[in-house]
Structure formats: C-alpha cells, structure tokens
Amino acid sequence: MAFMREYELMMIMRPEVEMTEKLGREIVLKTVAKTGATIVAITVWGKRQLAYPIEKATEGTYVLATLQADTLKSDVLQKETRMGSAVLRFLLTVK
C-alpha cells in the first residue's frame, strides 16, 4: 500500500455563481477527476470580501477541498482549474 499524502485545494469562485454545498462538490469533483486523487472533505466558506480586486471582482465565494493521493498530478489539476470559468484563483498546498 502506498503512502497517501493530504492536500488542500482552496478555490475562490466568481461572485456571480450562487454556490451551494452540492454545486461546490460538483465543481471540485469535475476539477479533481483526472488527477487520481480522492476527495476527503469539501467545505463552502461562503461569499467574502477580497483584499484586492481580482479580474474586477471585489468579492468571491471560497471553497476548501481536502484531497488524498499517493502522487498528485498537480499540472493536470492546475490546467483543469484554470479552464473552469467560475474560478478566480486557487491554491494547492500539501497539508
């Protein structure tokens, strides 16, 4: 059995997207599907004010996902996240 690492994926979604737990889960599942990671938990933090404007948006909806994978294809994850038009910014960290 391989050692499973934990990762955190924080995404800031566009404020126009009405985010629910179900929609948050669907977006994360779609984004993570090709990476080989399993989703441990997804938390929608809700709409928050941004510290500075991003693409003319002053607020965004925060979604935090905890992932597990032995080797995460981070380049594939970055490509899939950037392709999603609802995502303003994202950050992937090793937990």
Side-chain angles (χ1 to χ4, degrees):
M1 185 171 159
F3 175 72
M4 299 291 277
R5 275 196 134 139
E6 281 204 355
Y7 299 89
E8 283 187 340
L9 175 64
M10 172 66 76
M11 296 190 299
I12 303 174
M13 313 303 273
R14 294 191 179 281
E16 301 86 37
V17 178
E18 287 299 321
M19 190 60 58
T20 62
E21 289 286 336
K22 184 178 178 183
L23 182 60
R25 178 170 287 283
E26 288 174 11
I27 291 173
V28 172
L29 282 171
K30 180 182 167 191
T31 304
V32 175
K34 297 179 183 176
T35 63
T38 57
I39 298 171
V40 176
I42 298 173
T43 308
V44 177
W45 285 6
K47 200 174 279 191
R48 308 227 174 171
Q49 191 74 26
L50 300 175
Y52 55 90
I54 301 173
E55 298 179 19
K56 298 183 181 178
T58 58
E59 59 182 18
T61 305
Y62 285 70
V63 178
L64 176 67
T66 305
L67 314 172
Q68 273 190 344
D70 50 352
T71 56
L72 185 68
K73 300 175 186 169
S74 61
D75 55 335
V76 175
L77 182 65
Q78 290 177 10
K79 181 181 174 188
E80 290 295 318
T81 306
R82 286 193 176 107
M83 288 179 67
S85 61
V87 180
L88 283 174
R89 287 280 194 277
F90 70 96
L91 177 66
L92 178 68
T93 59
V94 177
K95 195 170 179 182

